[in-house]
Amino acid sequence: MTQVISTISQPEAGTSMGAELIKKGELVAFPTETVYGLGANGLNADAVEKIFIAKGRPNDNPLILHVAKKSDVKRLWAHVPKIANVLMDTFWPGPLTLIFNRADCVPNAVTAGLDTVAVRMPQDKTARMLIQKSDVPIAAPSANLSGKPSPTTARHVLEDMDGRIPLILDGGACKYGVESTVLSLVGKPTILRPGAVTREMLEAVIGQVELAGSILSPLKEREVALSPGMKYKHYAPTAQVIVVCGEPRLVAKRILELYMQTTIKGEVCEIAATKQTQNFYRGKQYSVMGDRDDPMTLCSNLFALLRDMDTRCDVILAEGVDTSGSGLAFMNRLLRAAGFSVEYI
Ligand code: AMP
Ligand code: MG
């Protein structure tokens, strides 16, 4: 049985119980401002191994270590490069993960054998309280079964993890709803995964930032070593997802055509619309993801909506949006959910 404790009503009791379990080498799911994490003592290889088993996660996909204060990176990295100090001072605590050369104390289970390690200091108070009380860096991937959409509420975690882990801390819905930006500082600063800290925000602080080639396209063989997480099918509901990109009115027109074609075949279809286009879909089955002019609203609803729609339909027809700002994080997740089934019109 998996116990769920609200850290909104019981922050001290919940995080103390969580920290006891972490210290004993057990797993605890906890809220962060990005998505829910599935945490273990990041310096204990046996505890970290349990994460891979609970999630069904491939062993060659490394984990992020979560710390409660900036100075903790000193013992996790070989040294702290200057650029990391600037980034930590600007964006930590927050949804930015930094990758640099690992120190010897970091187990291979965390880095999947790579000589780098990913570290982040979360903003969420519950997460930080749990890490502080545990007194170790907490290794935590998203708390979903591998391949499923990431959980943005404790209910999503319970759907995937019931009976597999002893405790879920329920801190309500996550603020951003999309995983952290992953930035490698080995060589030229390179975004391996886009998130709420955008390329534009990073460039305003450190100058030019590269984008890994896999962000909006399937991972090529030669890129696998750089960004192992991106090679897997990700964020995918059981329903088929088809994305249509282009000028919003044309997108809506094409989605209506596809809706008719799919419905005629007897498949249940639902449209993932935006605020700007919802009126085109009156009388059809649709949900509004958010506002095209504020892509963080799209990010924060996407995973919850995919899980929800998956209970109702066979085919999800989703609108693509512009990839500037946080639109890049949204499109990165949506295209992976669709297995890159996308039409540009
Ligand atoms: P998740 O914890 O499920 O959000 O996944 C963590 C993401 O960070 C995955 O996409 C990993 O591939 C990536 N990651 C973690 N550590 C490293 C690393 N050392 N090098 C490259 N990517 C990493
Ligand atoms: Mg994940």
Side-chain angles (χ1 to χ4, degrees):
M1 260 300 280
T2 299
Q3 194 178 352
V4 182
I5 297 186
S6 166
T7 49
I8 298 171
S9 56
Q10 301 183 76
E12 289 296 342
T15 51
S16 294
M17 187 182 290
E20 283 313 307
L21 286 164
I22 295 282
K23 284 179 182 170
K24 278 199 250 168
E26 297 299 332
L27 303 185
V28 177
F30 62 99
T32 80
E33 70 278 17
T34 58
V35 301
Y36 273 73
L38 182 60
N41 178 348
L43 300 179
N44 174 341
D46 292 338
V48 170
E49 216 46 66
K50 292 183 185 172
I51 294 179
F52 288 87
I53 294 166
K55 276 183 66 92
R57 184 176 173 107
N59 279 329
D60 60 351
N61 192 3
L63 305 177
I64 296 169
L65 290 179
H66 293 72
V67 297
K69 54 184 192 305
K70 293 174 196 166
S71 58
D72 286 349
V73 295
K74 283 189 215 152
R75 66 173 177 145
L76 302 174
W77 285 340
H79 68 272
V80 182
K82 256 197 203 129
I83 194 171
N85 279 316
V86 177
L87 290 165
M88 289 189 289
D89 287 343
T90 313
F91 297 108
W92 281 15
L96 176 67
T97 295
L98 298 174
I99 292 180
F100 195 62
N101 299 321
R102 65 190 274 196
D104 292 338
C105 68
V106 179
N108 274 325
V110 170
T111 67
L114 296 176
D115 45 20
T116 54
V117 65
V119 188
R120 177 167 103 84
M121 176 177 171
Q123 212 169 63
D124 184 277
K125 282 209 181 83
T126 304
R128 289 233 298 284
M129 212 187 273
L130 176 71
I131 303 165
Q132 259 156 16
K133 289 185 182 179
S134 304
D135 205 25
V136 285
I138 294 188
S142 47
N144 51 291
L145 287 174
S146 198
K148 291 282 164 206
S150 295
T152 57
T153 65
R155 183 175 58 79
H156 298 157
V157 180
L158 194 62
E159 276 167 17
D160 282 13
M161 291 295 151
D162 196 11
R164 292 172 179 254
I165 59 173
L167 179 65
I168 299 171
L169 300 180
D170 180 358
C174 301
K175 178 175 166 190
Y176 296 115
V178 71
E179 303 88 343
S180 59
T181 304
V182 176
L183 182 71
S184 171
L185 299 177
V186 180
K188 286 185 193 165
T190 305
I191 294 178
L192 303 184
R193 178 177 73 186
V197 173
T198 63
R199 181 188 203 176
E200 292 85 343
M201 289 158 73
L202 292 167
E203 289 192 329
V205 179
I206 56 167
Q208 199 184 341
V209 170
E210 310 291 320
L211 284 185
S214 56
I215 283 177
L216 293 175
S217 55
L219 195 65
K220 295 190 189 74
E221 221 21 71
R222 65 183 167 74
E223 293 161 339
V224 167
L226 183 67
S227 194
M230 289 289 172
K231 91 177 162 191
Y232 297 107
K233 188 180 170 202
H234 249 75
Y235 320 121
T238 310
Q240 184 191 2
V241 182
I242 299 170
V243 182
V244 183
C245 297
E247 195 274 316
R249 289 160 63 98
L250 296 178
V251 166
K253 195 163 161 253
R254 178 63 184 147
I255 284 185
L256 286 171
E257 278 171 18
L258 291 169
Y259 189 96
M260 296 301 266
Q261 288 167 12
T262 342
T263 316
I264 284 169
K265 281 195 278 178
E267 290 176 316
V268 181
C269 191
E270 188 162 337
I271 299 164
T274 51
K275 187 181 137 194
Q276 282 78 1
T277 52
Q278 57 182 310
N279 286 340
F280 290 103
Y281 305 126
R282 274 201 212 118
K284 308 283 185 292
Q285 195 63 42
Y286 72 92
S287 298
V288 176
M289 296 182 284
D291 183 346
R292 284 172 171 268
D293 296 331
D294 182 4
M296 269 325 294
T297 59
L298 302 167
C299 287
S300 64
N301 289 324
L302 179 65
F303 290 140
L305 212 58
L306 288 177
R307 278 182 182 259
D308 203 33
M309 286 179 156
D310 212 15
T311 63
R312 295 191 290 263
C313 64
D314 309 307
V315 180
I316 297 169
L317 299 171
E319 293 187 10
V321 303
D322 191 72
T323 55
S324 58
S326 50
L328 186 65
F330 173 73
M331 288 304 292
N332 169 267
R333 305 317 190 274
L334 182 61
L335 290 175
R336 279 184 164 67
F340 296 95
S341 170
V342 53
E343 275 189 32
Y344 294 92
I345 49 164

